[in-house]
Amino acid sequence: MLKHIRTVAAVALLTVTTYAVGVELNGSHPDTYVVKKGDTLWDISARFLKKPWLWPEIWQANPQVKNPHLIYPGDVLSLAYLDRVTAQPGPRQEAPINAVPLADVEPFLKNLNVVDSFKELPYVVGLEDNRLRATTGQQAYVLGLQGAQSGQRYMVVRPTVQYGQPKPSSDLNLRGDTTAGMGNLWKEFIPTSDRDEFLGYELAKVNVGTLTQVGADATQASILRLEDSGREVRAGDRLVPVQANPYDLQFIPHAPATQPAPGHLRVLAVTDTFTSGGPRDVIAISGGARDGIDNGTVFSIWRSGSHVNDRVTGMPTSRKDDALKAGGNRVSLPDEYAAHAMVFRTFDKVSYALIMEGTKPAKVGYELKHPDAQ
C-alpha cells in the first residue's frame, strides 16, 4: 500500500513539474486581477505568464458561464490551485475583451480577401465624364454584368498583390498582371526557399455601388452608381456582389497545432507596403488553413542566419559576405529572433497576423517558427 502511495505521489509530482516547465508563470504575477474596459487578453495573459500564447493551458472555464471562453470587464481573475486561472463573473455590462484591439485589425477583417483567381470577375472599363478616378455619387461603367438586375449592390475591389514563394509578393497593374522588376525581392534580402508556389491574389475593397442600368449585351457597359466615401475607383477595378462575409471577432492566443516545417512559413508583406514592421503592424504570411493554421495561432519571427566568409582560416571563394547559401569558405550564422505575431484572419494558403511584441523589426522574408523556438 505504501509503495502504491509513493508511486502515485511520484507520478503526481512529475505531472506538476512537467506542467510547470511548459507553463512558466510571470515572476510578478498577481494573485487576483479585475478585468477593465480596454484590456486585451494578450496583455492579461502576459500578467500571469511569461508566454501569453499558453493561456489556454491555465485558463479554467467556468461551467456556470454561458460562454466560458469570453472574459468581460468586471470579471475577477484569480490564480488558483495548480496554477489555474479561474474567474468570478462580473456584471456583464460591457462587451467581452479580445486578444487584440479590434481597431488594429478591423480593416483587414472587412476589406481584404485572398483568392486564387479574379480575371473572370466583371471590371470597370470607364468612368463618368471620362474621369481618371471616381467617387461617391459618380458613375462607373462596367463590363461583364449580363444577367444582373438593376438595384443589385456590388463591392468594387482592386487586385493589389500576387503572393507566392520564393518571391513573396509582386505588385499588379490595372489589368491584374505582374510587372517585371516590381515586388519586394529587389528591395530586400530574401532567403532562399525550396518552395516554388503561387499562393493567391489579394483583393482590397475600394468602394460600394448600386447597379442602375444593365448593358444589353457583352459589348455594352452597365452603370454602377458609387455610394461609399472610401477610395477612388479607377479603370481595371473588379466587382463582386455585396454579401455578408463572416469572420471571427474573438481570438484566443495559442501555439500552433503542428510544428512548422523549416523554411516553410515566411513573412510575405507588411502593411502599408513597408518592408519591416513592429508591434501592432499587420503582416501577411505564407501559410493558412491547409497548413493547420487557425485564428489565434502564435508564431515567433526570425531572421534566417546569413553565410559569411571566414577570412581568418582561408581565402574567400566569393566576394559576397552575406550569401544566401552555405558552401565554399563560408560560415553559417545562427538565426536571430525578431518578434511574436498572432494570426487573426486565415485563408487557404495565406494568413494575416498582428505583430504583438518583439526586440527588432520583423521584415519581409523572415521565417516563422513555433513560438517557443530557441
Side-chain angles (χ1 to χ4, degrees):
M1 183 66 177
L2 182 60
K3 182 178 180 181
H4 175 71
I5 292 175
R6 286 176 177 171
T7 302
V8 171
V11 171
L13 180 60
L14 178 61
T15 301
V16 172
T17 302
T18 303
Y19 179 83
V21 170
V23 182
E24 189 174 356
L25 297 176
N26 194 325
S28 58
H29 70 79
D31 292 329
T32 61
Y33 179 75
V34 180
V35 181
K36 300 178 180 61
K37 184 177 181 179
D39 281 344
T40 67
L41 181 56
W42 181 276
D43 293 336
I44 289 177
S45 303
R47 290 178 182 270
F48 291 94
L49 301 174
K50 289 187 176 180
K51 301 175 180 179
W53 54 91
L54 294 180
W55 180 256
E57 303 287 339
I58 71 167
W59 171 246
Q60 179 66 52
N62 292 293
Q64 74 274 19
V65 178
K66 185 175 181 180
N67 189 337
H69 299 291
L70 300 184
I71 299 175
Y72 292 77
D75 288 357
V76 181
L77 307 183
S78 62
L79 196 61
Y81 178 67
L82 283 182
D83 295 337
R84 293 284 180 174
V85 172
T86 60
Q88 178 182 343
R92 296 295 193 270
Q93 295 175 347
E94 305 282 352
I97 67 170
N98 211 324
V100 296
L102 278 180
D104 289 348
V105 300
E106 193 170 20
F108 297 86
L109 295 172
K110 291 183 175 180
N111 300 337
L112 291 179
N113 200 3
V114 178
V115 299
D116 289 332
S117 64
F118 65 88
K119 290 195 174 183
E120 72 282 1
L121 296 175
Y123 60 92
V124 176
V125 70
L127 302 168
E128 183 178 350
D129 296 327
N130 284 333
R131 298 171 183 268
L132 294 178
R133 300 287 188 271
T135 186
T136 309
Q138 296 169 346
Q139 296 182 149
Y141 305 125
V142 181
L143 286 181
L145 284 175
Q146 293 75 35
Q149 301 292 323
S150 293
Q152 284 184 271
R153 300 184 72 241
Y154 285 86
M155 180 185 297
V156 183
V157 297
R158 181 171 300 160
T160 56
V161 174
Q162 173 184 296
Y163 289 128
Q165 291 280 271
K167 187 176 183 179
S169 66
S170 299
D171 300 329
L172 302 178
N173 59 25
L174 63 84
R175 292 184 298 275
D177 299 325
T178 59
T179 303
M182 297 183 70
N184 289 318
L185 186 61
W186 64 275
K187 302 177 187 175
E188 190 68 17
F189 166 79
I190 303 295
T192 55
S193 173
D194 293 332
R195 296 180 68 184
D196 184 6
E197 183 180 14
F198 163 78
L199 298 177
Y201 298 104
E202 183 181 82
L203 301 183
K205 174 188 172 184
V206 178
N207 213 300
V208 175
T210 298
L211 194 61
T212 60
Q213 182 177 317
V214 180
D217 54 46
T219 65
Q220 302 231 345
S222 301
I223 300 176
L224 185 79
R225 179 166 291 277
L226 303 174
E227 303 169 352
D228 197 279
S229 59
R231 300 168 64 186
E232 294 179 319
V233 175
R234 72 182 187 190
D237 288 342
R238 309 282 165 154
L239 270 70
V240 295
V242 171
Q243 56 188 9
N245 292 317
Y247 48 80
D248 288 347
L249 290 176
Q250 293 291 330
F251 315 105
I252 299 177
H254 59 273
T258 58
Q259 183 79 15
H264 184 76
L265 299 180
R266 295 198 180 272
V267 177
L268 295 172
V270 180
T271 185
D272 295 329
T273 69
F274 293 131
T275 56
S276 61
R280 298 301 186 263
D281 282 333
V282 174
I283 58 175
I285 66 173
S286 61
R290 70 168 186 176
D291 304 294
I293 299 172
D294 60 353
N295 292 338
T297 302
V298 177
F299 293 102
S300 56
I301 304 174
W302 296 72
R303 183 191 191 277
S304 298
S306 55
H307 311 283
V308 299
N309 289 315
D310 182 358
R311 302 179 184 276
V312 175
T313 60
M315 291 296 295
T317 57
S318 170
R319 294 183 179 181
K320 191 167 185 178
D321 205 28
D322 191 8
L324 299 178
K325 291 185 177 181
N329 196 43
R330 293 189 291 269
V331 177
S332 300
L333 302 184
D335 295 351
E336 299 172 0
Y337 165 77
H340 279 96
M342 187 191 75
V343 172
F344 65 85
R345 186 82 191 274
T346 305
F347 301 96
D348 187 37
K349 294 175 282 189
V350 174
S351 298
Y352 295 128
L354 186 70
I355 300 175
M356 306 302 298
E357 60 187 11
T359 59
K360 61 183 67 177
K363 295 187 177 183
V364 171
Y366 280 16
E367 183 178 355
L368 282 82
K369 303 182 182 181
H370 192 280
D372 292 333
Q374 300 291 329

